Amino acid sequence: MSIGRTYANSSSKLPMRITLIAGALIVGSFTGCKENTKAVQRVEVDEESISERQLRYAGKVALELQETVELGFDQDMPGIGYVEWMGISPEGTLMVADRVSHQAHEINYRDQMYIRSFGRTGKGPGEHSSADNMSIDPEGRVYLLDGRGGQILRYDRKGRYLDRTQSIGVSKIHAGRNDGVHFLRVNPTSLIIELQRRDPATWAVLSSTPLSNRKQGFVSIRMRKFAMLCYNASLQVFYYLGPNDHMVKEIDAVTGEVTAKFGRRPKGFVALPNRYHDIGRGTFDDLKQLKITIVGSMTLVEDRYLFVSYEHPEDLMREWIVYMINPSGTFEVFDLDDVTSGLLQPFSEQEGVRMGAIAAAQESIYIWRPPRLEVADISNGTIEKYAVVLDRRSDL
């Protein structure tokens, strides 16, 4: 049986390009889903007063390969062009968002079994324009972010459509708590990034914490997909990192208060020039010409290791910094060893395969890689599972 698909991969080394999409903010509402802001608790953030965590360099981090699984591609498994986002469900299944087909799928990757898809492209109920990321709440409901269409769609665990709400400027969602669904978004009025908490029953806005100040507005609205959010379930803390920043902010998930910040400045960090700091300054064409460092990814493993990557303007290599969280004292900072750094680059010179999405579950890190061109007709790619291994400095 011949199966056709669009495939987004190359075995030749290409310059890494950052695609910046200045999508129009969608203003409107769906029936019964208007944003309720009457009782919103707004938490003000004084940047100067946020305490900074102490950091200490502790050594190297390596990843030890535990498992490799090839994802098949046949009449039972949908074709996947490129995985923009990946997550591991509470049941251990693979949740992926394909940026080529704009579809979201659930796969039992160990058994090579396709389980289901969530929604379909379109403009009707249960339909979306893009599948950007997903989250599952304690009740088992699945939330799908359609950033292009400006909405959050909700499904039951079997993939049946339930409802949706307007979501202007949202880039990340987190529904893994009983006290609300959290949206990371650019506020369409102030043009700053905020962490918004909504009531999962009514979609009403319960609280809002601003995470950037006016000086970040130019970057925030045009680069919101590079703003990162992780949740530490053990400490009930969110970690936020802006699209052109190296300081991670800790946010109390209960109160919404920004409690601390930490970060080591990456080597060769290029910040946004001062002339672009005020909201309204600069155009999208200006941004395309800017050579600045942006956040590539942020992944939390075991609620202890925070892996952060940066993409520099003139370098094809991705720089990684690993923080070991210590709630009662100094945070330890690690670099990747040379082998692991090579594994986590956008392109592998040796294998000729690009690195795709990265995710974490319990004690493991998962990496999705597109298939090599020679097997693209029978493979959707490869899932690699790694364990974290510390190599501490001997003098510590």
Side-chain angles (χ1 to χ4, degrees):
M1 179 177 182
S2 175
I3 304 175
R5 66 170 173 177
T6 303
Y7 175 65
N9 185 36
S10 174
S11 60
S12 61
K13 189 170 184 179
L14 297 175
M16 182 174 60
R17 297 180 181 270
I18 301 170
T19 303
L20 306 175
I21 301 175
L25 293 178
I26 298 176
V27 181
S29 63
F30 300 115
T31 303
C33 296
K34 292 184 178 180
E35 185 173 310
N36 180 359
T37 59
K38 291 183 179 179
V40 177
Q41 174 188 352
R42 299 199 179 277
V43 182
E44 298 300 325
V45 177
D46 181 0
E47 295 282 342
E48 299 299 324
S49 67
I50 301 173
S51 62
E52 189 169 339
R53 299 279 191 185
Q54 292 185 337
L55 303 175
R56 179 185 65 174
Y57 179 69
K60 301 280 188 178
V61 164
L63 294 184
E64 183 179 272
L65 182 62
Q66 296 179 311
E67 184 181 11
T68 300
V69 178
E70 190 82 19
L71 293 179
F73 175 53
D74 54 30
Q75 63 269 24
D76 297 321
M77 184 79 72
I80 299 174
Y82 191 81
V83 176
E84 180 79 0
W85 173 91
M86 176 175 71
I88 308 298
S89 75
E91 296 83 11
T93 57
L94 186 69
M95 316 285 283
V96 299
D98 180 4
R99 78 176 186 188
V100 175
S101 67
H102 305 300
Q103 287 293 298
H105 307 295
E106 182 174 4
I107 299 168
N108 187 332
Y109 65 96
R110 287 190 177 89
D111 296 336
Q112 297 290 295
M113 295 290 293
Y114 164 72
I115 300 175
R116 63 180 62 89
S117 297
F118 293 88
R120 59 186 180 274
T121 55
K123 297 182 179 180
E127 297 178 336
H128 55 261
S129 300
S130 66
D132 298 294
N133 59 76
M134 305 168 72
S135 188
I136 302 175
D137 71 11
E139 303 298 322
R141 294 169 296 196
V142 178
Y143 297 73
L144 172 65
L145 170 60
D146 173 13
R148 182 181 297 179
Q151 59 177 335
I152 301 287
L153 299 102
R154 185 159 50 184
Y155 304 85
D156 68 15
R157 198 63 186 86
K158 299 295 184 182
R160 293 171 294 211
Y161 172 70
L162 298 175
D163 61 357
R164 61 180 177 174
T165 187
Q166 175 183 330
S167 61
I168 301 173
V170 174
S171 63
K172 300 289 186 296
I173 54 176
H174 179 80
R177 290 176 51 79
N178 288 308
D179 61 348
V181 181
H182 289 81
F183 295 175
L184 183 65
R185 73 166 199 164
V186 176
N187 185 300
T189 301
S190 65
L191 300 183
I192 64 174
I193 296 180
E194 63 183 12
L195 182 62
Q196 186 183 85
R197 181 168 62 95
R198 292 200 184 192
D199 185 334
T202 65
W203 295 114
V205 179
L206 302 175
S207 65
S208 180
T209 302
L211 298 176
S212 61
N213 54 35
R214 290 180 62 86
K215 291 184 177 181
Q216 293 175 309
F218 177 68
V219 174
S220 298
I221 189 63
R222 294 163 176 84
M223 300 177 65
R224 61 182 182 268
K225 68 175 291 184
F226 298 107
M228 300 297 162
L229 186 72
C230 289
Y231 175 61
N232 189 323
S234 299
L235 302 178
Q236 294 190 351
V237 167
F238 283 104
Y239 302 115
Y240 161 77
L241 188 56
N244 178 234
D245 201 353
H246 67 279
M247 297 299 292
V248 181
K249 291 179 181 175
E250 293 182 4
I251 307 157
D252 188 306
V254 177
T255 66
E257 179 185 0
V258 179
T259 55
K261 60 184 177 181
F262 60 90
R264 187 184 75 183
R265 189 180 182 90
K267 300 174 184 176
F269 185 83
V270 181
L272 183 72
N274 290 336
R275 65 181 180 275
Y276 294 112
H277 277 187
D278 292 334
I279 289 178
R281 297 269 184 93
T283 66
F284 181 59
D285 287 335
D286 291 329
L287 188 60
K288 289 191 294 184
Q289 303 302 319
L290 287 178
K291 297 180 179 179
I292 61 177
T293 300
I294 63 171
V295 181
S297 65
M298 185 167 70
T299 307
L300 182 65
V301 187
E302 294 185 56
D303 286 351
R304 296 181 66 198
Y305 307 107
L306 190 66
F307 282 68
V308 180
S309 71
Y310 297 91
E311 297 174 357
H312 297 301
E314 299 294 343
D315 193 346
L316 293 177
M317 301 294 287
R318 183 174 293 176
E319 180 178 352
W320 290 83
I321 299 175
V322 181
Y323 301 97
M324 187 171 180
I325 306 299
N326 179 7
S328 60
T330 301
F331 283 20
E332 294 183 332
V333 182
F334 295 83
D335 293 316
L336 298 184
D337 69 357
D338 292 341
V339 174
T340 302
S341 180
L343 287 171
L344 299 184
Q345 294 307 314
F347 186 88
S348 170
E349 187 74 50
Q350 181 178 1
E351 299 294 334
V353 177
R354 295 169 61 195
M355 174 186 168
I358 182 170
Q362 298 177 347
E363 77 287 351
S364 300
I365 284 180
Y366 296 81
I367 298 173
W368 178 84
R369 299 186 191 276
R372 295 179 299 276
L373 287 178
E374 58 267 27
V375 296
D377 290 339
I378 59 173
S379 173
N380 265 318
T382 304
I383 300 297
E384 299 170 350
K385 179 181 177 182
Y386 293 89
V388 177
V389 180
L390 299 183
D391 182 11
R392 294 184 177 275
R393 287 173 51 182
S394 59
D395 58 340
L396 293 179

